[in-house]
Amino acid sequence: MYVGTLSFDLLLGDVHSLKEKRSVVRPIVAELQRKYAVSAAEVDHMNLHRRAVVGLAMVSSDAGHLSDVLDRCERLVAGRPEVELLSVRRRFHGEDD
């Protein structure tokens, strides 16, 4: 069994309220969940309207498949024009841990 996690530190574009922030972050989280069957949520900077941290996790029996899905998730978030991807933190846990 392999577990992979990603943490995206995001700078949001022209956002002036927490309500506007939700309208940007929620669709990203929903698309990650829908397209890649990962668990995803906003996990930090909840009270800052121009920053967000989105975390996701996935479990797989195949390390290659897990790595491929995490790569696709990262490309999806990096390709969103309404956010700037400041950093990505990736963790990979295998049976040897």
Side-chain angles (χ1 to χ4, degrees):
M1 176 176 72
Y2 299 94
V3 179
T5 63
L6 288 175
S7 176
F8 302 107
D9 189 2
L10 305 174
L11 178 64
L12 307 181
D14 191 28
V15 173
H16 302 289
S17 70
L18 293 175
K19 185 175 181 179
E20 288 179 19
K21 175 186 178 176
R22 282 192 308 273
S23 72
V24 172
V25 174
R26 278 187 182 170
I28 294 171
V29 169
E31 187 173 6
L32 287 166
Q33 292 170 333
R34 186 182 72 253
K35 280 183 110 170
Y36 300 112
V38 296
S39 296
E42 182 181 358
V43 295
D44 201 3
H45 300 314
M46 306 289 208
N47 295 323
L48 300 176
H49 66 273
R50 293 206 59 224
R51 292 286 299 275
V53 176
V54 173
L56 68 82
M58 182 179 174
V59 176
S60 178
S61 62
D62 180 357
H65 172 68
L66 179 60
S67 183
D68 182 51
V69 172
L70 295 179
D71 289 343
R72 290 179 190 198
C73 290
E74 186 173 342
R75 283 194 299 271
L76 183 143
V77 174
R80 298 294 293 240
E82 67 273 20
V83 299
E84 180 181 343
L85 184 56
L86 298 176
S87 68
V88 178
R89 183 174 184 178
R90 181 183 292 229
R91 289 189 173 164
F92 196 88
H93 305 282
E95 293 182 353
D96 297 333
D97 293 344

